[in-house]
Amino acid sequence: MPTHHSLPPTRPTTVVAIDGPAGAGKSTVAKLLADRLGFEFLDTGAMYRCVTLAMLRVPITPSETNALQQLASDLQIELSGSVVRMNGEDVSDAIRTPEVSQAIGGVADNILVREILSDLQRRWASGKRVVTEGRDQGSVVFQDSRCKVFLVASPEERARRRVADLAQRGIDADLQSVLDQQNARDLADYSRPVGALIKAPDAVEISTDGISMHQVVDKLERLVQARLGQNLSAKFSSTKP
């Protein structure tokens, strides 16, 4: 598996880029779509989490910008299915802790770290058929993608999903509190000076309100066929809603 340092030069690739606010269903839909199409799923969030975990282990703070940028540049990050390795260590679980989640914002807001990881994402996708998701995949990282999606859902629907997700993990959460936190994050994401959530001009907006994730994937599969002309085998035909 190629690493940060051994990846070949960028060459033509096929990318389905999915952006949108937190809670719109991007990760779930992107993984399902990749499986449906036989594409690879690029977990960009895992890359930022690796840098954050490494930062916490040193430890340094996001304000130590030069050290953080050097750290990101030196890391070897490998993605293979659901397995994430950092410098050869399986950190698939370690990058999902609350501590990493709380600290990731300072890493993601560093402009040079974003440039380093954006370049890594392009190189990782080189020569592959990829579904990727984030907040700037279509607008910044893969601007040449011919299939861009901006996935949305109402604030209330996204908050309900978050409460349900927390409940599945045994965590009680108040819907209004979750909604307030979500609205604050939306404001921050749309107004960030670096890596802001932006809908690319040529992105197709799709709402996930009131429909299942599999129905959303059905819509996206049709979009991929229309935009990219992919001849999908029967193995990846649409599932029933």
Side-chain angles (χ1 to χ4, degrees):
M1 172 62 63
T3 66
H4 188 164
H5 296 290
S6 64
L7 287 164
T10 303
R11 57 184 184 274
T13 188
T14 300
V15 174
V16 178
I18 302 176
D19 292 312
K26 300 189 303 295
S27 294
T28 300
V29 166
K31 291 174 184 176
L32 288 172
L33 181 64
D35 184 64
R36 175 85 65 85
L37 300 176
F39 283 24
E40 295 191 51
F41 170 61
L42 172 54
D43 188 350
T44 62
M47 294 182 175
Y48 285 96
R49 286 178 174 275
C50 282
V51 177
T52 305
L53 177 62
M55 176 189 74
L56 294 174
R57 285 180 172 181
V58 173
I60 56 176
T61 66
S63 62
E64 298 174 79
T65 55
N66 291 336
L68 180 60
Q69 291 156 14
Q70 188 62 53
L71 180 69
S73 181
D74 290 342
L75 277 185
Q76 293 185 347
I77 300 172
E78 302 174 51
L79 306 179
S80 180
S82 61
V83 177
V84 181
R85 289 187 174 85
M86 181 179 73
N87 294 337
E89 175 191 355
D90 185 343
V91 293
S92 306
D93 293 328
I95 62 172
R96 308 293 179 185
T97 63
E99 292 77 14
V100 171
S101 296
Q102 291 169 6
I104 196 171
V107 171
D109 285 344
N110 184 297
I111 186 169
L112 289 184
V113 169
R114 292 198 75 87
E115 289 177 359
I116 290 167
L117 294 186
S118 292
D119 180 65
L120 177 57
Q121 289 158 23
R122 295 184 191 102
R123 289 176 173 269
W124 186 93
S126 178
K128 300 175 183 175
R129 300 191 303 173
V130 172
V131 178
T132 181
E133 61 88 11
R135 66 179 186 228
D136 64 353
Q137 294 297 286
S139 59
V140 175
V141 184
F142 296 104
Q143 293 183 354
D144 293 336
S145 169
R146 292 188 290 121
C147 190
K148 301 176 185 177
V149 176
F150 196 76
L151 212 60
V152 299
S154 68
E156 294 77 16
E157 177 65 21
R158 291 159 51 210
R160 282 193 291 269
R161 290 174 185 168
R162 177 61 174 165
V163 170
D165 178 62
L166 291 171
Q168 287 184 340
R169 290 187 276 163
I171 302 172
D172 290 328
D174 174 69
L175 178 61
Q176 187 59 51
S177 296
V178 170
L179 182 59
D180 291 343
Q181 293 170 4
Q182 177 183 275
N183 289 339
R185 177 174 176 176
D186 285 351
L187 179 61
D189 283 349
Y190 278 107
S191 59
R192 291 180 188 278
V194 179
L197 176 59
I198 301 173
K199 177 185 175 183
D202 53 345
V204 176
E205 183 170 312
I206 294 179
S207 172
T208 63
D209 281 350
I211 59 176
S212 72
M213 291 296 104
H214 285 287
Q215 288 173 307
V216 175
V217 174
D218 287 343
K219 287 187 175 184
L220 294 185
E221 183 182 8
R222 290 192 291 270
L223 177 64
V224 171
Q225 291 172 324
R227 288 290 181 92
L228 304 180
Q230 296 294 333
N231 295 317
L232 305 179
S233 67
K235 177 181 178 182
F236 304 115
S237 61
S238 297
T239 59
K240 299 294 183 182

